[in-house]
Amino acid sequence: MLEINLKERLDDFWVFPKLTKIQHSRDYNDNFFEFLNNSEVMNVPTNLYIHIPFCDSGCIFCPYYKLHGQTNYKKYLSKYVDSIIFEIKKYAEQPLLKNIKIESVHFGGGNPFLIPLSDLKRIVETIKSCFNVEVNDNWTMEGSINLIRDEAYPRGLLELGINRISFGVQTFNEEIRNAMNIKATIEDIYNGVEILNKAGLSEYCIDMMYNLPNQSVEDFIEDLKKVTELNPYHIDIYNMAVFPNTYLDKLVQTKGHFRINPSNENQMKMFREGDRWLLENGYKQIITNTYSKKQKEIHIGDKVYLENGNVIGIGVSARGYINGYAYKNVCDIRDYLELIENNNFPADLAYHCTLDQHYDRRMVYFPILMEINKCDIPDYSRYEERINQLIERKLVKWVGDTLKLTKEGIFWSGNISALFISEERWATYIKSFLVAAKEKINPYNEDMMGKEVVDLEE
Ligand SMILES: C[S@@+](CC[C@H](N)C(=O)[O-])C[C@H]1O[C@@H](n2cnc3c(N)ncnc32)[C@H](O)[C@@H]1O
Ligand code: SF4
Protein backbone atom coordinates (compact mmCIF):
# COMPACT_ATOMS: atom_id res chain seq x y z
CA MET A 1 0.00 0.00 0.00
CA LEU A 2 2.66 2.49 -0.90
CA GLU A 3 0.54 4.47 -3.36
CA ILE A 4 -2.24 6.60 -1.97
CA ASN A 5 -5.63 5.47 -3.16
CA LEU A 6 -8.12 8.29 -3.74
CA LYS A 7 -10.96 6.33 -5.27
CA GLU A 8 -13.10 6.23 -2.17
CA ARG A 9 -12.92 8.69 0.70
CA LEU A 10 -12.02 6.72 3.82
CA ASP A 11 -13.08 7.55 7.37
CA ASP A 12 -10.42 8.54 9.86
CA PHE A 13 -8.62 5.66 11.57
CA TRP A 14 -9.09 6.00 15.32
CA VAL A 15 -8.06 2.42 16.04
CA PHE A 16 -4.55 1.27 15.25
CA PRO A 17 -3.31 -1.42 15.38
CA LYS A 18 -6.44 -3.40 14.68
CA LEU A 19 -6.61 -6.50 16.84
CA THR A 20 -8.55 -9.45 15.55
CA LYS A 21 -9.59 -12.80 17.00
CA ILE A 22 -7.93 -14.75 14.25
CA GLN A 23 -4.49 -13.29 14.94
CA HIS A 24 -4.44 -11.81 18.41
CA SER A 25 -6.49 -14.04 20.70
CA ARG A 26 -4.71 -14.73 23.92
CA ASP A 27 -4.74 -17.35 26.62
CA TYR A 28 -5.77 -15.69 29.90
CA ASN A 29 -2.86 -17.38 31.62
CA ASP A 30 -0.23 -16.07 29.22
CA ASN A 31 2.40 -13.57 30.29
CA PHE A 32 1.28 -10.68 28.07
CA PHE A 33 0.59 -8.30 30.94
CA GLU A 34 3.92 -8.95 32.59
CA PHE A 35 5.29 -5.84 30.93
CA LEU A 36 3.40 -3.98 33.68
CA ASN A 37 5.83 -5.39 36.24
CA ASN A 38 8.46 -2.99 35.01
CA SER A 39 8.99 -0.40 37.74
CA GLU A 40 10.78 2.19 35.61
CA VAL A 41 9.16 5.61 35.64
CA MET A 42 6.76 5.87 32.73
CA ASN A 43 6.75 9.30 31.14
CA VAL A 44 4.36 8.66 28.29
CA PRO A 45 1.18 10.79 28.59
CA THR A 46 -1.68 8.49 29.46
CA ASN A 47 -5.49 8.67 29.23
CA LEU A 48 -8.05 6.55 31.00
CA TYR A 49 -11.05 5.28 29.02
CA ILE A 50 -13.98 3.61 30.77
CA HIS A 51 -16.65 1.86 28.72
CA ILE A 52 -20.22 1.87 30.02
CA PRO A 53 -22.20 -0.65 27.98
CA PHE A 54 -25.78 0.19 28.99
CA CYS A 55 -27.99 2.00 26.50
CA ASP A 56 -31.71 2.76 26.44
CA SER A 57 -31.76 3.59 22.74
CA GLY A 58 -31.47 1.26 19.78
CA CYS A 59 -29.95 3.33 16.96
CA ILE A 60 -29.60 0.85 14.14
CA PHE A 61 -26.33 2.33 12.84
CA CYS A 62 -24.48 1.86 16.14
CA PRO A 63 -21.74 -0.81 16.17
CA TYR A 64 -20.54 -0.33 19.75
CA TYR A 65 -20.85 -2.93 22.47
CA LYS A 66 -23.95 -2.19 24.52
CA LEU A 67 -26.77 -3.86 26.39
CA HIS A 68 -30.35 -2.79 25.94
CA GLY A 69 -33.31 -3.10 28.22
CA GLN A 70 -34.19 -2.60 31.85
CA THR A 71 -33.69 -6.27 32.69
CA ASN A 72 -30.06 -6.22 31.62
CA TYR A 73 -29.52 -2.88 33.32
CA LYS A 74 -30.95 -4.04 36.65
CA LYS A 75 -29.22 -7.38 36.43
CA TYR A 76 -25.72 -6.11 35.68
CA LEU A 77 -25.36 -2.48 36.82
CA SER A 78 -24.11 -2.99 40.34
CA LYS A 79 -21.81 -5.90 39.48
CA TYR A 80 -20.46 -3.98 36.51
CA VAL A 81 -19.61 -0.90 38.57
CA ASP A 82 -17.84 -3.11 41.14
CA SER A 83 -15.93 -4.81 38.35
CA ILE A 84 -14.68 -1.66 36.66
CA ILE A 85 -13.56 -0.37 40.06
CA PHE A 86 -11.70 -3.64 40.53
CA GLU A 87 -10.12 -3.37 37.08
CA ILE A 88 -9.00 0.25 37.65
CA LYS A 89 -7.34 -0.80 40.91
CA LYS A 90 -5.75 -3.80 39.25
CA TYR A 91 -4.03 -1.60 36.66
CA ALA A 92 -3.10 1.03 39.24
CA GLU A 93 -1.29 -1.45 41.45
CA GLN A 94 1.04 -2.65 38.66
CA PRO A 95 4.58 -1.33 39.18
CA LEU A 96 4.70 0.41 35.79
CA LEU A 97 1.47 2.32 36.44
CA LYS A 98 1.82 3.09 40.15
CA ASN A 99 1.15 6.80 40.73
CA ILE A 100 1.39 7.65 37.05
CA LYS A 101 -0.18 10.87 35.92
CA ILE A 102 -3.45 10.50 34.08
CA GLU A 103 -3.98 13.35 31.61
CA SER A 104 -7.62 12.81 30.82
CA VAL A 105 -10.51 10.55 31.75
CA HIS A 106 -13.32 9.69 29.34
CA PHE A 107 -16.50 7.75 30.05
CA GLY A 108 -17.70 6.31 26.75
CA GLY A 109 -20.52 4.07 25.72
CA GLY A 110 -23.19 3.03 25.31
CA ASN A 111 -24.75 5.55 27.52
CA PRO A 112 -22.81 6.53 30.65
CA PHE A 113 -25.61 8.91 31.75
CA LEU A 114 -27.30 5.71 32.93
CA ILE A 115 -24.77 5.39 35.75
CA PRO A 116 -26.34 6.80 38.92
CA LEU A 117 -24.39 9.63 40.54
CA SER A 118 -23.70 7.56 43.65
CA ASP A 119 -21.97 4.87 41.55
CA LEU A 120 -20.17 7.46 39.49
CA LYS A 121 -18.87 9.01 42.68
CA ARG A 122 -17.39 5.66 43.70
CA ILE A 123 -15.69 5.31 40.32
CA VAL A 124 -14.33 8.88 40.36
CA GLU A 125 -13.03 8.46 43.92
CA THR A 126 -11.31 5.22 42.93
CA ILE A 127 -9.58 6.93 40.02
CA LYS A 128 -8.47 9.81 42.23
CA SER A 129 -7.15 7.50 44.91
CA CYS A 130 -5.34 5.25 42.42
CA PHE A 131 -3.62 7.73 40.12
CA ASN A 132 -1.99 11.09 40.10
CA VAL A 133 -4.89 12.85 38.47
CA GLU A 134 -6.51 16.23 38.60
CA VAL A 135 -10.21 16.66 38.24
CA ASN A 136 -10.49 19.45 35.72
CA ASP A 137 -11.86 20.01 32.26
CA ASN A 138 -10.05 16.94 31.05
CA TRP A 139 -12.82 14.70 32.40
CA THR A 140 -15.45 14.02 29.78
CA MET A 141 -18.49 11.82 29.35
CA GLU A 142 -20.79 10.92 26.49
CA GLY A 143 -24.43 9.90 26.73
CA SER A 144 -27.94 10.40 25.42
CA ILE A 145 -29.75 13.68 25.95
CA ASN A 146 -33.11 12.05 26.73
CA LEU A 147 -31.62 11.04 30.08
CA ILE A 148 -31.03 14.66 31.09
CA ARG A 149 -34.43 15.20 32.67
CA ASP A 150 -33.59 17.44 35.61
CA GLU A 151 -30.74 19.60 36.84
CA ALA A 152 -29.63 17.17 39.52
CA TYR A 153 -27.66 14.91 37.15
CA PRO A 154 -25.61 17.60 35.33
CA ARG A 155 -25.02 19.39 38.63
CA GLY A 156 -23.81 16.09 40.08
CA LEU A 157 -21.45 15.62 37.13
CA LEU A 158 -20.03 19.09 37.69
CA GLU A 159 -19.52 18.38 41.37
CA LEU A 160 -17.59 15.24 40.45
CA GLY A 161 -15.41 17.24 38.08
CA ILE A 162 -16.94 16.05 34.82
CA ASN A 163 -17.61 19.35 33.13
CA ARG A 164 -17.60 18.43 29.49
CA ILE A 165 -20.16 16.07 28.01
CA SER A 166 -21.19 15.07 24.53
CA PHE A 167 -24.36 13.62 23.14
CA GLY A 168 -25.58 12.58 19.74
CA VAL A 169 -28.31 14.53 17.97
CA GLN A 170 -27.34 12.94 14.62
CA THR A 171 -30.12 14.72 12.71
CA PHE A 172 -33.20 16.83 13.38
CA ASN A 173 -35.11 15.13 10.57
CA GLU A 174 -37.94 13.23 12.26
CA GLU A 175 -38.39 10.76 9.42
CA ILE A 176 -34.73 9.76 9.54
CA ARG A 177 -34.68 9.66 13.34
CA ASN A 178 -37.60 7.24 13.30
CA ALA A 179 -36.06 5.10 10.59
CA MET A 180 -32.83 4.91 12.60
CA ASN A 181 -34.75 4.05 15.78
CA ILE A 182 -33.21 6.91 17.77
CA LYS A 183 -35.01 7.08 21.10
CA ALA A 184 -34.44 10.73 22.06
CA THR A 185 -37.09 13.02 20.58
CA ILE A 186 -36.51 16.53 19.23
CA GLU A 187 -38.31 17.77 22.34
CA ASP A 188 -35.87 15.79 24.52
CA ILE A 189 -33.00 17.59 22.78
CA TYR A 190 -34.35 21.09 23.40
CA ASN A 191 -35.43 20.28 26.97
CA GLY A 192 -32.12 18.61 27.75
CA VAL A 193 -30.08 21.55 26.46
CA GLU A 194 -32.16 23.98 28.49
CA ILE A 195 -31.57 21.88 31.62
CA LEU A 196 -27.81 21.68 30.94
CA ASN A 197 -27.62 25.46 30.63
CA LYS A 198 -29.66 26.01 33.79
CA ALA A 199 -27.42 23.57 35.65
CA GLY A 200 -24.34 25.46 34.47
CA LEU A 201 -22.95 22.60 32.39
CA SER A 202 -22.32 24.72 29.34
CA GLU A 203 -19.56 22.65 27.75
CA TYR A 204 -21.83 20.28 25.88
CA CYS A 205 -20.62 18.94 22.57
CA ILE A 206 -22.97 17.55 19.95
CA ASP A 207 -22.46 14.68 17.49
CA MET A 208 -24.06 15.02 14.07
CA MET A 209 -24.09 12.48 11.27
CA TYR A 210 -24.08 12.83 7.50
CA ASN A 211 -24.68 10.30 4.74
CA LEU A 212 -27.61 8.90 6.73
CA PRO A 213 -30.23 6.97 4.76
CA ASN A 214 -32.73 9.30 3.07
CA GLN A 215 -30.62 12.36 3.99
CA SER A 216 -29.92 14.93 1.29
CA VAL A 217 -27.18 17.55 1.28
CA GLU A 218 -29.85 20.17 1.99
CA ASP A 219 -31.09 18.15 4.97
CA PHE A 220 -27.57 18.04 6.39
CA ILE A 221 -27.09 21.80 6.03
CA GLU A 222 -30.49 22.34 7.65
CA ASP A 223 -29.31 20.08 10.52
CA LEU A 224 -26.14 22.15 10.92
CA LYS A 225 -28.17 25.36 11.07
CA LYS A 226 -30.34 23.90 13.79
CA VAL A 227 -27.51 22.46 15.83
CA THR A 228 -25.60 25.74 15.87
CA GLU A 229 -28.69 27.39 17.40
CA LEU A 230 -28.16 25.12 20.42
CA ASN A 231 -24.85 26.91 21.01
CA PRO A 232 -22.74 23.76 21.52
CA TYR A 233 -19.19 23.83 22.80
CA HIS A 234 -18.20 21.99 19.68
CA ILE A 235 -19.81 19.92 16.94
CA ASP A 236 -18.48 16.56 15.77
CA ILE A 237 -19.59 15.44 12.33
CA TYR A 238 -19.46 11.73 11.50
CA ASN A 239 -19.86 10.05 8.16
CA MET A 240 -22.27 7.21 8.78
CA ALA A 241 -20.40 3.96 8.41
CA VAL A 242 -22.59 0.99 7.54
CA PHE A 243 -21.06 -1.87 9.47
CA PRO A 244 -21.44 -5.24 7.79
CA ASN A 245 -23.81 -7.74 9.38
CA THR A 246 -25.73 -5.12 11.34
CA TYR A 247 -29.48 -4.63 11.05
CA LEU A 248 -28.85 -1.36 9.19
CA ASP A 249 -26.66 -3.19 6.70
CA LYS A 250 -29.54 -5.57 6.00
CA LEU A 251 -31.90 -2.66 5.29
CA VAL A 252 -29.37 -0.90 3.07
CA GLN A 253 -28.94 -4.11 1.09
CA THR A 254 -32.72 -4.41 0.63
CA LYS A 255 -33.41 -2.79 -2.71
CA GLY A 256 -35.77 0.18 -2.47
CA HIS A 257 -35.95 0.18 1.33
CA PHE A 258 -34.44 3.66 1.55
CA ARG A 259 -35.08 6.44 -0.97
CA ILE A 260 -31.43 7.48 -0.64
CA ASN A 261 -28.86 4.91 0.37
CA PRO A 262 -25.61 5.95 2.08
CA SER A 263 -22.87 6.12 -0.53
CA ASN A 264 -19.35 7.32 -1.04
CA GLU A 265 -20.58 9.95 -3.47
CA ASN A 266 -23.12 11.33 -0.97
CA GLN A 267 -20.70 11.43 1.92
CA MET A 268 -18.10 13.28 -0.18
CA LYS A 269 -20.65 15.91 -1.24
CA MET A 270 -21.97 16.27 2.28
CA PHE A 271 -18.57 16.65 3.89
CA ARG A 272 -17.56 19.35 1.39
CA GLU A 273 -20.80 21.28 1.79
CA GLY A 274 -21.00 20.85 5.56
CA ASP A 275 -17.39 21.87 6.04
CA ARG A 276 -17.92 24.94 3.86
CA TRP A 277 -21.08 25.94 5.74
CA LEU A 278 -19.44 25.57 9.15
CA LEU A 279 -16.34 27.56 8.18
CA GLU A 280 -18.41 30.30 6.52
CA ASN A 281 -20.47 30.57 9.68
CA GLY A 282 -17.59 31.29 12.00
CA TYR A 283 -16.64 27.78 13.07
CA LYS A 284 -13.03 26.71 13.39
CA GLN A 285 -11.91 23.19 12.47
CA ILE A 286 -10.15 21.78 15.55
CA ILE A 287 -9.46 18.30 14.22
CA THR A 288 -10.77 16.79 10.99
CA ASN A 289 -14.32 16.16 12.25
CA THR A 290 -14.59 18.70 15.10
CA TYR A 291 -15.70 22.31 14.62
CA SER A 292 -16.11 24.97 17.26
CA LYS A 293 -16.69 28.66 17.87
CA LYS A 294 -15.66 28.38 21.51
CA GLN A 295 -12.92 25.77 21.77
CA LYS A 296 -9.52 27.25 21.08
CA GLU A 297 -7.46 24.10 20.72
CA ILE A 298 -7.65 20.33 20.62
CA HIS A 299 -8.87 18.62 23.79
CA ILE A 300 -6.00 17.17 25.81
CA GLY A 301 -7.53 13.67 25.67
CA ASP A 302 -7.50 13.69 21.86
CA LYS A 303 -4.04 15.27 21.78
CA VAL A 304 -2.54 12.60 24.02
CA TYR A 305 -4.20 9.80 22.09
CA LEU A 306 -3.42 11.10 18.61
CA GLU A 307 0.18 11.94 19.45
CA ASN A 308 0.85 8.29 20.21
CA GLY A 309 0.16 8.45 23.94
CA ASN A 310 -1.13 5.63 26.08
CA VAL A 311 -4.64 4.71 26.98
CA ILE A 312 -5.66 2.41 29.78
CA GLY A 313 -8.93 0.89 28.57
CA ILE A 314 -11.32 -0.26 31.28
CA GLY A 315 -14.57 -2.19 30.95
CA VAL A 316 -16.17 -4.58 28.53
CA SER A 317 -14.98 -4.09 24.88
CA ALA A 318 -12.53 -1.30 25.86
CA ARG A 319 -9.30 -0.93 23.89
CA GLY A 320 -6.01 -0.12 25.57
CA TYR A 321 -2.48 0.76 24.43
CA ILE A 322 0.40 1.03 26.87
CA ASN A 323 3.95 1.54 25.62
CA GLY A 324 3.36 -0.44 22.42
CA TYR A 325 1.30 -3.15 24.13
CA ALA A 326 -2.17 -3.15 22.59
CA TYR A 327 -5.11 -5.02 24.07
CA LYS A 328 -8.85 -5.27 23.71
CA ASN A 329 -11.20 -6.36 26.44
CA VAL A 330 -13.65 -9.16 25.87
CA CYS A 331 -16.95 -8.21 24.21
CA ASP A 332 -19.41 -10.04 26.41
CA ILE A 333 -20.45 -8.74 29.80
CA ARG A 334 -20.77 -12.24 31.29
CA ASP A 335 -17.22 -13.15 30.25
CA TYR A 336 -15.99 -9.78 31.45
CA LEU A 337 -17.51 -10.18 34.92
CA GLU A 338 -16.21 -13.73 35.22
CA LEU A 339 -12.67 -12.76 34.23
CA ILE A 340 -12.65 -9.98 36.78
CA GLU A 341 -14.02 -12.32 39.41
CA ASN A 342 -11.08 -14.63 38.71
CA ASN A 343 -8.66 -11.71 38.98
CA ASN A 344 -7.68 -11.86 35.30
CA PHE A 345 -6.97 -8.97 33.00
CA PRO A 346 -10.21 -9.15 31.00
CA ALA A 347 -8.52 -8.76 27.58
CA ASP A 348 -9.13 -11.53 25.07
CA LEU A 349 -7.03 -9.88 22.35
CA ALA A 350 -3.47 -8.66 22.81
CA TYR A 351 -0.49 -7.73 20.71
CA HIS A 352 2.96 -6.27 21.32
CA CYS A 353 3.78 -3.86 18.49
CA THR A 354 7.21 -3.65 16.96
CA LEU A 355 8.94 -0.28 17.17
CA ASP A 356 8.11 0.35 13.49
CA GLN A 357 4.45 -0.32 14.16
CA HIS A 358 4.55 2.00 17.15
CA TYR A 359 5.98 4.72 14.91
CA ASP A 360 3.40 3.94 12.22
CA ARG A 361 0.69 4.59 14.82
CA ARG A 362 1.90 8.20 15.12
CA MET A 363 1.77 8.58 11.35
CA VAL A 364 -1.63 6.89 10.99
CA TYR A 365 -3.13 9.31 13.52
CA PHE A 366 -1.42 12.57 12.48
CA PRO A 367 -3.83 13.33 9.59
CA ILE A 368 -6.68 13.65 12.13
CA LEU A 369 -4.63 16.40 13.82
CA MET A 370 -4.14 17.91 10.34
CA GLU A 371 -0.45 18.54 10.97
CA ILE A 372 2.77 17.17 12.44
CA ASN A 373 6.04 18.82 13.30
CA LYS A 374 9.11 17.41 11.54
CA CYS A 375 10.78 16.61 14.86
CA ASP A 376 7.74 14.53 15.84
CA ILE A 377 7.99 12.30 12.78
CA PRO A 378 9.66 9.20 14.13
CA ASP A 379 12.32 7.69 11.85
CA TYR A 380 11.82 10.22 9.04
CA SER A 381 13.57 8.11 6.40
CA ARG A 382 10.94 5.37 6.82
CA TYR A 383 8.22 7.83 5.69
CA GLU A 384 10.10 10.22 3.40
CA GLU A 385 9.01 8.67 0.12
CA ARG A 386 5.38 8.62 1.15
CA ILE A 387 5.51 12.19 2.43
CA ASN A 388 7.02 13.35 -0.88
CA GLN A 389 4.26 11.57 -2.74
CA LEU A 390 1.68 13.47 -0.65
CA ILE A 391 3.47 16.75 -1.32
CA GLU A 392 3.47 16.05 -5.06
CA ARG A 393 -0.25 15.40 -4.95
CA LYS A 394 -0.78 18.66 -3.02
CA LEU A 395 -2.32 16.86 -0.08
CA VAL A 396 0.28 18.13 2.40
CA LYS A 397 2.83 20.94 2.42
CA TRP A 398 5.64 22.15 4.62
CA VAL A 399 4.96 25.36 6.51
CA GLY A 400 8.29 25.98 8.21
CA ASP A 401 8.99 22.76 10.10
CA THR A 402 5.38 21.69 10.17
CA LEU A 403 3.88 19.29 7.68
CA LYS A 404 0.31 20.51 7.20
CA LEU A 405 -2.57 18.91 5.39
CA THR A 406 -3.91 21.15 2.62
CA LYS A 407 -7.65 21.70 2.28
CA GLU A 408 -7.74 18.76 -0.13
CA GLY A 409 -5.57 16.76 2.26
CA ILE A 410 -8.06 17.32 5.08
CA PHE A 411 -10.80 16.00 2.82
CA TRP A 412 -8.74 12.83 2.20
CA SER A 413 -7.35 12.53 5.75
CA GLY A 414 -8.48 8.90 6.15
CA ASN A 415 -6.77 7.95 2.89
CA ILE A 416 -3.57 9.68 4.00
CA SER A 417 -3.68 7.65 7.23
CA ALA A 418 -4.13 4.48 5.20
CA LEU A 419 -0.88 5.22 3.35
CA PHE A 420 0.99 4.77 6.63
CA ILE A 421 -0.50 1.39 7.40
CA SER A 422 1.95 -1.31 6.37
CA GLU A 423 0.94 -4.08 3.96
CA GLU A 424 1.23 -6.62 6.69
CA ARG A 425 -1.17 -4.60 8.93
CA TRP A 426 -3.58 -4.25 6.00
CA ALA A 427 -3.61 -7.99 5.72
CA THR A 428 -4.95 -8.04 9.29
CA TYR A 429 -7.85 -5.74 8.40
CA ILE A 430 -8.70 -7.82 5.38
CA LYS A 431 -8.52 -11.09 7.30
CA SER A 432 -10.74 -9.68 10.02
CA PHE A 433 -13.32 -8.61 7.40
CA LEU A 434 -13.26 -12.01 5.73
CA VAL A 435 -13.78 -13.79 9.03
CA ALA A 436 -16.57 -11.40 9.97
CA ALA A 437 -18.28 -11.99 6.62
CA LYS A 438 -18.00 -15.76 7.01
CA GLU A 439 -19.22 -15.82 10.59
CA LYS A 440 -21.80 -13.09 9.99
CA ILE A 441 -20.47 -10.90 12.76
CA ASN A 442 -19.82 -7.19 12.84
CA PRO A 443 -16.11 -6.58 12.13
CA TYR A 444 -15.86 -3.54 14.43
CA ASN A 445 -15.91 -5.62 17.59
CA GLU A 446 -16.22 -9.03 15.94
CA ASP A 447 -19.50 -9.55 17.78
CA MET A 448 -23.21 -9.87 17.06
CA MET A 449 -23.99 -6.17 17.49
CA GLY A 450 -27.23 -5.07 15.89
CA LYS A 451 -29.24 -8.20 16.49
CA GLU A 452 -30.39 -6.84 19.86
CA VAL A 453 -32.33 -4.15 18.12
CA VAL A 454 -35.36 -6.40 17.91
CA ASP A 455 -35.49 -7.00 21.65
CA LEU A 456 -34.95 -3.56 23.08
CA GLU A 457 -37.05 -4.37 26.11
CA GLU A 458 -36.69 -7.95 27.12
C1 LIG B 1 -20.33 5.90 20.65
S1 LIG B 1 -21.75 6.86 20.50
C2 LIG B 1 -22.03 6.95 22.24
C3 LIG B 1 -22.62 8.16 22.84
C4 LIG B 1 -24.08 8.24 23.05
N1 LIG B 1 -24.72 7.04 23.32
C5 LIG B 1 -24.71 8.94 21.90
O1 LIG B 1 -25.47 8.34 21.16
O2 LIG B 1 -24.41 10.11 21.74
C6 LIG B 1 -20.99 8.36 19.96
C7 LIG B 1 -21.32 8.78 18.56
O3 LIG B 1 -20.84 7.85 17.59
C8 LIG B 1 -21.51 8.16 16.37
N2 LIG B 1 -21.80 6.90 15.66
C9 LIG B 1 -22.51 5.85 16.11
N3 LIG B 1 -22.61 4.90 15.14
C10 LIG B 1 -21.96 5.38 14.05
C11 LIG B 1 -21.71 4.88 12.74
N4 LIG B 1 -22.18 3.71 12.32
N5 LIG B 1 -21.00 5.65 11.89
C12 LIG B 1 -20.53 6.87 12.29
N6 LIG B 1 -20.74 7.38 13.50
C13 LIG B 1 -21.44 6.66 14.38
C14 LIG B 1 -22.79 8.91 16.72
O4 LIG B 1 -22.73 10.22 16.21
C15 LIG B 1 -22.78 8.90 18.24
O5 LIG B 1 -23.37 10.04 18.77
S1 SF4 C 1 -25.40 5.76 19.17
FE1 SF4 C 1 -27.49 5.19 19.90
S2 SF4 C 1 -27.41 2.98 20.29
FE2 SF4 C 1 -25.27 3.73 20.11
S3 SF4 C 1 -24.66 4.11 22.18
FE3 SF4 C 1 -25.43 6.08 21.39
S4 SF4 C 1 -27.65 6.11 21.92
FE4 SF4 C 1 -26.91 3.98 22.19
Side-chain angles (χ1 to χ4, degrees):
M1 254 275 165
L2 288 177
E3 275 288 316
I4 190 159
N5 182 343
L6 299 182
K7 273 196 205 116
E8 234 176 70
R9 178 174 173 260
L10 300 179
D11 290 329
D12 286 325
F13 287 78
W14 279 84
V15 177
F16 183 85
K18 160 105 182 150
L19 302 189
T20 164
K21 283 182 183 158
I22 194 161
Q23 287 182 316
H24 307 110
S25 288
R26 66 181 277 263
D27 174 349
Y28 296 114
N29 298 315
D30 67 12
N31 59 6
F32 177 80
F33 283 97
E34 271 174 23
F35 73 94
L36 295 173
N37 273 327
N38 186 335
S39 56
E40 277 170 25
V41 180
M42 191 180 76
N43 287 323
V44 184
T46 300
N47 290 334
L48 189 65
Y49 172 83
I50 299 169
H51 190 80
I52 305 297
F54 307 106
C55 183
D56 67 331
S57 189
C59 317
I60 62 171
F61 45 72
C62 176
Y64 305 106
Y65 181 78
K66 61 209 170 298
L67 295 164
H68 294 299
Q70 277 298 315
T71 317
N72 277 328
Y73 179 67
K74 285 188 187 137
K75 185 168 167 190
Y76 291 118
L77 175 70
S78 140
K79 243 186 149 201
Y80 189 71
V81 170
D82 288 347
S83 298
I84 55 176
I85 286 176
F86 183 92
E87 194 188 358
I88 293 167
K89 287 183 179 161
K90 187 170 169 66
Y91 276 97
E93 72 194 17
Q94 304 301 314
L96 184 71
L97 304 180
K98 246 187 194 146
N99 300 318
I100 60 155
K101 186 162 189 293
I102 294 289
E103 305 291 339
S104 110
V105 179
H106 181 70
F107 293 89
N111 197 343
F113 294 169
L114 279 166
I115 299 288
L117 286 170
S118 54
D119 286 318
L120 206 50
K121 187 162 188 268
R122 285 175 57 218
I123 301 170
V124 168
E125 279 171 0
T126 304
I127 298 169
K128 285 199 277 184
S129 70
C130 281
F131 295 108
N132 171 11
V133 60
E134 277 169 35
V135 180
N136 50 28
D137 69 349
N138 302 336
W139 289 56
T140 55
M141 181 183 264
E142 57 191 29
S144 298
I145 192 69
N146 54 307
L147 291 170
I148 304 294
R149 297 192 188 109
D150 55 46
E151 289 171 44
Y153 199 78
R155 279 192 205 283
L157 294 182
L158 285 171
E159 272 164 32
L160 290 173
I162 299 164
N163 56 5
R164 187 177 300 181
I165 60 162
S166 68
F167 59 88
V169 162
Q170 327 304 4
T171 174
F172 287 90
N173 182 309
E174 299 263 20
E175 181 209 332
I176 302 176
R177 295 181 71 82
N178 290 338
M180 294 300 103
N181 201 30
I182 299 172
K183 184 168 181 180
T185 62
I186 304 283
E187 205 185 340
D188 288 335
I189 297 168
Y190 287 108
N191 283 342
V193 166
E194 197 181 325
I195 291 167
L196 290 175
N197 281 318
K198 274 194 192 148
L201 205 167
S202 55
E203 288 195 15
Y204 48 87
C205 307
I206 301 184
D207 301 336
M208 299 298 287
M209 290 172 78
Y210 58 98
N211 197 25
L212 285 158
N214 292 347
Q215 187 185 37
S216 65
V217 178
E218 293 73 32
D219 291 332
F220 181 47
I221 300 300
E222 199 52 39
D223 280 342
L224 291 178
K225 280 183 194 159
K226 286 189 176 149
V227 75
T228 53
E229 284 162 14
L230 293 176
N231 201 15
Y233 191 69
H234 74 221
I235 302 168
D236 279 338
I237 57 170
Y238 292 102
N239 168 36
M240 197 203 58
V242 182
F243 287 87
N245 302 318
T246 56
Y247 182 61
L248 173 63
D249 184 33
K250 226 185 265 174
L251 298 184
V252 169
Q253 304 297 337
T254 308
K255 214 165 170 247
H257 185 87
F258 293 120
R259 241 183 8 263
I260 307 174
N261 256 351
S263 70
N264 187 51
E265 201 192 330
N266 284 348
Q267 65 115 332
M268 297 214 287
K269 248 192 271 167
M270 285 185 183
F271 180 82
R272 283 208 200 274
E273 293 297 319
D275 171 77
R276 184 170 39 217
W277 190 89
L278 287 163
L279 298 179
E280 279 175 5
N281 284 277
Y283 277 78
K284 179 180 165 199
Q285 195 169 15
I286 310 290
I287 53 175
T288 46
N289 72 327
T290 300
Y291 295 81
S292 181
K293 277 188 181 174
K294 302 178 180 178
Q295 191 175 339
K296 298 281 171 273
E297 53 191 41
I298 180 174
H299 183 256
I300 184 75
D302 288 338
K303 183 174 161 68
V304 164
Y305 184 79
L306 296 170
E307 291 185 352
N308 220 359
N310 287 337
V311 55
I312 303 173
I314 301 289
V316 62
S317 82
R319 293 171 163 84
Y321 187 90
I322 305 170
N323 286 4
Y325 289 82
Y327 65 87
K328 181 167 177 295
N329 279 354
V330 67
C331 255
D332 183 312
I333 195 157
R334 293 157 302 184
D335 294 343
Y336 173 78
L337 296 176
E338 192 183 327
L339 285 161
I340 290 287
E341 209 169 295
N342 294 328
N343 194 15
N344 280 309
F345 284 102
D348 64 341
L349 307 182
Y351 179 65
H352 183 200
C353 295
T354 62
L355 194 59
D356 278 347
Q357 286 161 352
H358 178 67
Y359 290 164
D360 288 352
R361 184 173 181 255
R362 180 73 174 93
M363 297 307 288
V364 169
Y365 289 160
F366 103 83
I368 303 175
L369 294 162
M370 306 188 294
E371 64 178 41
I372 187 169
N373 202 286
K374 187 162 186 190
C375 63
D376 292 327
I377 299 179
D379 189 1
Y380 187 77
S381 59
R382 179 172 164 82
Y383 305 108
E384 191 167 9
E385 212 178 281
R386 283 174 274 182
I387 290 172
N388 287 340
Q389 184 195 140
L390 293 173
I391 294 172
E392 259 167 45
R393 290 192 167 232
K394 298 193 168 39
L395 296 170
V396 300
K397 63 178 181 204
W398 287 109
V399 179
D401 277 344
T402 305
L403 187 67
K404 281 184 183 279
L405 268 63
T406 59
K407 184 82 189 153
E408 205 50 18
I410 294 171
F411 181 81
W412 294 105
S413 59
N415 304 60
I416 297 178
S417 289
L419 186 65
F420 295 99
I421 297 177
S422 67
E423 286 182 352
E424 155 258 338
R425 288 286 94 199
W426 269 115
T428 303
Y429 281 89
I430 290 162
K431 239 183 214 163
S432 147
F433 261 82
L434 293 177
V435 171
K438 193 168 153 223
E439 294 182 9
K440 296 209 180 321
I441 52 177
N442 163 25
Y444 180 72
N445 273 328
E446 298 181 319
D447 66 356
M448 304 297 281
M449 216 63 310
K451 292 232 185 318
E452 300 87 328
V453 81
V454 282
D455 50 76
L456 288 185
E457 298 291 334
E458 299 179 332

